[in-house]
Amino acid sequence: MKRIISYLTLVCALAFVSCGKDSGNDDQDPGQPGGSTFLPLSISFEHPGVMAEQKTSIKYLPDGHTIELYSDDLGTANPYDHLRQTNLYNGDGYFIKRQIYQDGAVVESIDVERTPGNTISRVITSVNYPDDDYKVKDTFNLSFYDSATFKVMKVDNLLRDRYKNEFRVSRRFVFSGSSLVKTQGGTFWNQSNSASLTWPNEEFVYDGQSRLSTHTRDFFYGKSISYDQAGIGLDSFYQVLGGVDGHYLNAPGSWGFYTHEAFTSSPLKLVLFNNSGLMEATMHISGVISEVRSIPNGVNYPNTEIFSFDNILDQRQRVKQTTVRSKNEVVAIWKVEYPAR
């Protein structure tokens, strides 16, 4: 039986850090469709009948290079109750570090090493959850080359699992501009050929406004996305999420085999489970979504599920609330707060 899980993660963004401005500057961040007043101050999530409202508050620090994310205890007046995550950017606006906290201790981190020209050379992830009694550190080596009109990013790493198996993994990601159009996965074995890991091959298609329209894989479900013509979603927010070249960092999905969040795990996701397959839809990453539909894929993934997105806009046409329904059942409600100006 299918089930829907909607959740709020603690990965968000800051204004274009190369500007060195805080969120009080009105619509002055270059390269952003809506400017700083379209960057959220908080995002709330509720799963009716299952999960009470959870709220994440976003603090844009005046140094222009740091953002902090907090769990907001709704019973207190202070919106910044528990620090959950810190994102760091360099003076040129490129992402360089993320830390996730549990009870004040760093339990996950991602560090990006760059050349003097800010090209990504390595990504280093570490996981250390005290209650799990497990530590892991992975190093991913990146290289870039052009193939015809596309830029190809190659990611190589030696991956270690909980059972001390080691897998030499190599994946390729093909971009057209800043849009990911294809990923090359594969099956990778450990040295003794006793265990394997498999990533699917994927393809991404965009509409005439550069919005993601379909995402298909050679196994599991695919998805198609339709958009509203009115309103401004969280696309400005996502554009600044990864810094100047965040599309490269977002492409692999998860930089660590056991990291709980991917680099740009969106703060708003819709997840459909069916047997061992799943479909993820990110809310308003490319515009205001009106519908997400699963694409059947073979006998193991035969069903079509439709999710409708009912959006409420404020006077500035910003999405301030989205209610997601499946078969007339409310499965998620998200609320977004913006600066008043």
Side-chain angles (χ1 to χ4, degrees):
M1 178 179 179
K2 292 185 180 62
R3 57 192 179 99
I4 310 298
I5 294 182
S6 305
Y7 58 93
L8 175 71
T9 66
L10 289 174
V11 182
C12 294
L14 79 161
F16 234 82
V17 292
S18 58
C19 306
K21 299 178 180 179
D22 62 48
S23 60
N25 293 289
D26 185 25
D27 296 344
Q28 296 299 313
D29 297 333
Q32 304 313 307
S36 59
T37 58
F38 286 79
L39 297 177
L41 297 177
S42 69
I43 300 175
S44 301
F45 164 75
E46 178 184 354
H47 193 324
V50 177
M51 183 182 296
E53 182 179 359
Q54 296 185 358
K55 185 176 181 180
T56 295
S57 296
I58 308 165
K59 182 182 287 188
Y60 305 92
L61 270 63
D63 65 5
H65 307 304
T66 310
I67 185 170
E68 296 174 340
L69 287 87
Y70 294 80
S71 292
D72 183 3
D73 183 346
L74 299 179
T76 69
N78 178 19
Y80 309 112
D81 291 299
H82 305 287
L83 179 63
R84 298 302 187 193
Q85 183 172 314
T86 301
N87 288 354
L88 301 175
Y89 301 76
N90 68 18
D92 296 321
Y94 292 86
F95 175 91
I96 54 175
K97 190 179 187 68
R98 184 197 71 187
Q99 293 181 318
I100 295 177
Y101 305 91
Q102 178 176 286
D103 299 326
V106 177
V107 292
E108 291 190 28
S109 65
I110 290 180
D111 291 86
V112 178
E113 295 183 358
R114 297 178 178 274
T115 68
N118 279 319
T119 300
I120 306 167
S121 58
R122 292 202 305 176
V123 174
I124 301 172
T125 69
S126 62
V127 178
N128 179 18
Y129 280 86
D131 54 353
D132 202 15
D133 194 30
Y134 183 78
K135 299 179 181 180
V136 63
K137 186 174 183 179
D138 282 323
T139 299
F140 302 79
N141 296 302
L142 276 68
S143 57
F144 295 87
Y145 61 93
D146 292 311
S147 177
T149 59
F150 300 118
K151 179 177 283 293
V152 179
M153 179 178 74
K154 186 169 178 282
V155 179
D156 297 299
N157 71 298
L158 181 66
L159 191 152
R160 302 167 182 84
D161 68 10
R162 290 179 179 272
Y163 308 102
K164 299 184 179 180
N165 291 305
E166 294 187 345
F167 307 84
R168 293 196 175 276
V169 177
S170 181
R171 302 183 65 197
R172 287 176 171 82
F173 304 85
V174 182
F175 296 84
S176 178
S178 60
S179 297
L180 177 65
V181 295
K182 185 179 294 186
T183 72
Q184 177 184 336
T187 299
F188 305 93
W189 293 84
N190 63 353
Q191 289 184 334
S192 63
N193 289 325
S194 60
S196 66
L197 298 172
T198 300
W199 276 272
N201 298 307
E202 302 171 280
E203 292 190 1
F204 303 81
V205 178
Y206 301 82
D207 66 14
Q209 299 183 49
S210 300
R211 301 176 302 193
L212 178 64
S213 59
T214 61
H215 172 200
T216 55
R217 299 180 283 183
D218 54 7
F219 54 90
F220 301 141
Y221 281 106
K223 66 173 177 279
S224 63
I225 304 174
S226 301
Y227 297 89
D228 284 334
Q229 295 304 311
I232 297 175
L234 297 177
D235 43 339
S236 298
F237 175 65
Y238 289 114
Q239 287 184 32
V240 302
L241 181 59
V244 176
D245 58 357
H247 54 285
Y248 292 133
L249 290 164
N250 183 53
S254 180
W255 284 99
F257 191 66
Y258 288 106
T259 54
H260 289 200
E261 312 292 349
F263 170 71
T264 54
S265 289
S266 71
L268 306 169
K269 278 190 178 180
L270 180 71
V271 183
L272 161 69
F273 284 91
N274 180 282
N275 299 321
S276 60
L278 60 83
M279 178 189 74
E280 291 186 354
T282 304
M283 190 183 93
H284 308 325
I285 192 170
S286 299
V288 182
I289 295 175
S290 60
E291 180 183 277
V292 175
R293 182 184 298 253
S294 62
I295 299 175
N297 187 8
V299 296
N300 292 324
Y301 312 103
N303 300 301
T304 299
E305 290 288 336
I306 301 173
F307 305 91
S308 64
F309 285 60
D310 297 327
N311 304 296
I312 298 176
L313 311 179
D314 65 12
Q315 292 181 341
R316 300 196 64 185
Q317 293 296 296
R318 301 173 296 191
V319 174
K320 68 176 185 179
Q321 180 172 312
T322 295
T323 300
V324 181
R325 292 181 171 87
S326 176
K327 298 178 180 178
N328 295 320
E329 178 185 356
V330 175
V331 297
I333 299 173
W334 289 294
K335 299 176 183 178
V336 186
E337 293 181 339
Y338 302 94
R341 292 177 59 190

